[in-house]
Amino acid sequence: MPRHAMDAIAQTHQGGAALDALMSRVRDSAAARGTHVARTVVLLPFAHLLQPAREAWARQVPEGFSPRLETTKTWSSAAGFEPADNDVTGDVARDLLAAHGLLVRAGLGSHADLLAPRLVEAAHGLMGVASAIEPRSRTAWAARMRGAIAPGFDTPLLSHEGALAHIAIEWAASSAFPTDNLFAP
């Protein structure tokens, strides 16, 4: 895209005005509730909005305290999460070791070398969903998932795929994730 086109977009972009309006609402809302702004968290959808939001706050309140600006990722990682040995983590090497052990415990040890990468792939596919569910609700989520997939794997030909799906669901449901602290009081 030509440079002059980018300049035109930058001149007509309304993002700064929207962030200014948001910070004004944050300031007014904190004041109306009698809440100190330094104890206020503003949850933004994308990390690239953090700096522009800070700049918008500085335009609104050039001196004094500012709210805590976070995304779900920055907020959840602030607690220093450390996964347990059997948690699905997103780290392929670590998860392959855990998957191998899960397959052995499920009676599929003779196929573990072949099935472990597929189990990791399935569990990684479920991580985003499982981590967005409140930890105490994950058992119910797993039960719904098991019920939903059961009819698709009811033939002997698909027994390994069915076992992988069930193990992946249970693994994701029983794992802890960095986002768990977002559900804490």
Side-chain angles (χ1 to χ4, degrees), residues 92-137:
V92 175
R94 179 179 174 156
D95 290 343
L96 275 171
L97 293 172
H100 196 277
L102 290 170
L103 290 164
V104 168
R105 287 196 298 269
L108 296 169
S110 62
H111 303 289
D113 290 340
L114 175 68
L115 296 177
R118 294 172 53 202
L119 176 57
V120 168
E121 183 179 350
H124 286 184
L126 294 171
M127 281 180 64
V129 175
S131 66
I133 296 170
E134 186 176 17
R136 67 179 180 202
S137 300

Side-chain angles (χ1 to χ4, degrees), residues 15-99:
L19 283 173
D20 285 343
L22 174 65
M23 291 303 119
S24 179
R25 286 179 55 203
V26 168
R27 186 189 68 229
D28 294 346
S29 180
R33 288 174 172 75
T35 303
H36 195 284
V37 74
R39 298 192 65 187
T40 302
V41 177
V42 178
L43 192 59
L44 298 167
F46 306 107
H48 72 274
L49 293 175
L50 291 171
Q51 188 57 38
R54 287 184 189 103
E55 293 166 3
W57 181 263
R59 286 190 295 275
Q60 295 281 323
V61 184
E63 295 180 4
F65 293 98
S66 65
R68 182 174 159 188
L69 302 170
E70 298 280 1
T71 66
T72 54
K73 183 170 183 146
T74 62
W75 198 4
S76 63
S77 64
F81 174 77
E82 187 63 38
D85 290 342
N86 286 323
D87 286 345
V88 61
T89 65
D91 178 338
V92 175
R94 179 179 174 156
D95 290 343
L96 275 171
L97 293 172

